Amino acid sequence: MRRKTALILFLTLLFFAAAAPAEDFRLGVEPEPSDITPAYRSAFVPEEEHEHCYWCTPMDLTDEDAIWQMLMSPMTVADINMNKQTVVYAEPDENSEGIGMLTGQSQGVHVLETLDSGWTKVETYSTSFYNSKVKNFNAFVTGYVPTKKLKTIQVNRNYGIIIDKLTQRLYLYKDGHLETSMPVSTGKYNPDAKKQQPYNETRSGEYVIIYTKTGALTDEDSGMICSYALKFNATDYIHEVPHKTNADGTKNFRGFEEVLGSRASHGCIRVQGKKNADGYNMSVLADLIKKRSDKNCIKLVIWEDYQGRQVKIPDDDTPLYYNPKGGTMYHAVADCASVKKKFLPLTAFTFGQLEEDGFSKLKMCPYCVPTPRKAVLEEINQVHLTSSPGEVMSVYTPKK
């Protein structure tokens, strides 16, 4: 979406944007503009040279220029094997306490100070996994790593990706503009479960998609297959929503597709398998990433859903669509690919009518993934008034 009018429409339409006709592009769920940055927990006051970095850029989609500059800015990463991790120490001393983990080659850090002693003070999100030396899961940490282990890398100049844990959406940027949006599922940590798994929470931060030759991830016990897997953090991948294989060889997304737009994975990022109104799905995205002309890795940033962040609730007159001849779902677009052509175009109604008789029992379409119901959005906002769901260490009870 490159037209100049797109940015204006992006600001004025709450839950979908457009570039003629209006129904052809929508965000589904959009965060409210905010001054909250990924370094929300930091005590560091940035100087001018930090203004375009991931850590100091507000999580605000409405400032397209700032978002693009952030996605294009260089990164500082650990110059070690991409499958290895190094410890972030509390002090510039390897005998001090380990407070976090840093993955090689793909994970970015915010450089605060380079010391003459051979150490660099950094901020980052700890990418601890279940078997990491330091188990500080998805925690924002400020500490030290040896300067010799760090290097600066350039990133792809044509594409950038944002994953927002608040909205559970992927936002793809191309050549300075928002290109499309798709629902995702990031990691789900259930603190009330008998077996706590805080390492399932997707680790926020700044990454590059470092490895594109994985193919599919498979689980032989469950028969679950995750196609088009691209590595961005040690054992974390962005991949197609899981499926099982039908007898005729086709993909069956049932049980996984329905929960897109909410936390559901073991830490990876699941992306829709069916094409959205813009013609994008995980297959198209993976092909785009693999065949990019600029061979620098594409930056992928993950926004934490900090307390105080909110999602927008659409105006009552925001259009939705349905099939009055027996349709069971509501849609974001009038020509949704999931509906037989003889029922197209779909009939319009409004977001404000969604709870009225005739619409109240309609389910969200898993193809075009329209905005959730108002009660769902209000619940998200209520939760984030008092808590930061991704900060699992605040509720995790380690084994003694």
Side-chain angles (χ1 to χ4, degrees), residues 334-400:
D335 58 348
C336 179
S338 69
V339 181
K340 293 182 179 180
K341 290 184 178 180
K342 66 180 181 179
F343 296 118
L344 299 177
L346 295 169
T347 300
F349 70 107
T350 66
F351 180 76
Q353 295 176 291
L354 198 50
E355 302 307 323
E356 296 179 3
D357 290 343
F359 307 109
S360 61
K361 294 183 179 180
L362 295 176
K363 298 179 181 179
M364 287 177 59
C365 171
Y367 275 80
C368 58
V369 195
T371 176
R373 293 177 180 273
K374 187 175 183 179
V376 174
L377 300 174
E378 288 178 335
E379 182 179 359
I380 292 172
N381 286 342
Q382 186 62 39
V383 167
H384 288 84
L385 285 176
T386 57
S387 66
S388 302
E391 293 188 315
V392 297
M393 295 306 293
S394 63
V395 293
Y396 170 53
T397 305
K399 292 182 180 180
K400 296 182 179 181

Side-chain angles (χ1 to χ4, degrees), residues 16 80 84 127 177 208 212 272 302 314 343 345 357 381 386:
F16 61 95
I80 59 175
K84 302 292 185 180
T127 52
H177 301 283
V208 288
T212 62
Q272 72 180 80
I302 303 174
F343 296 118
D357 290 343
N381 286 342
T386 57

Side-chain angles (χ1 to χ4, degrees), residues 87-90 96-100 134 136:
V87 174
V88 179
Y89 292 95
S96 67
E97 178 188 7
I99 59 173
V134 177
N136 197 10

Side-chain angles (χ1 to χ4, degrees), residues 75 77-78 82 103-108 206-208 210 232-234:
M75 290 172 52
V77 301
M82 69 177 179
T103 299
Q105 301 297 328
S106 64
Q107 182 188 357
E206 181 184 39
Y207 302 92
V208 288
I210 189 72
F232 67 90
N233 178 29

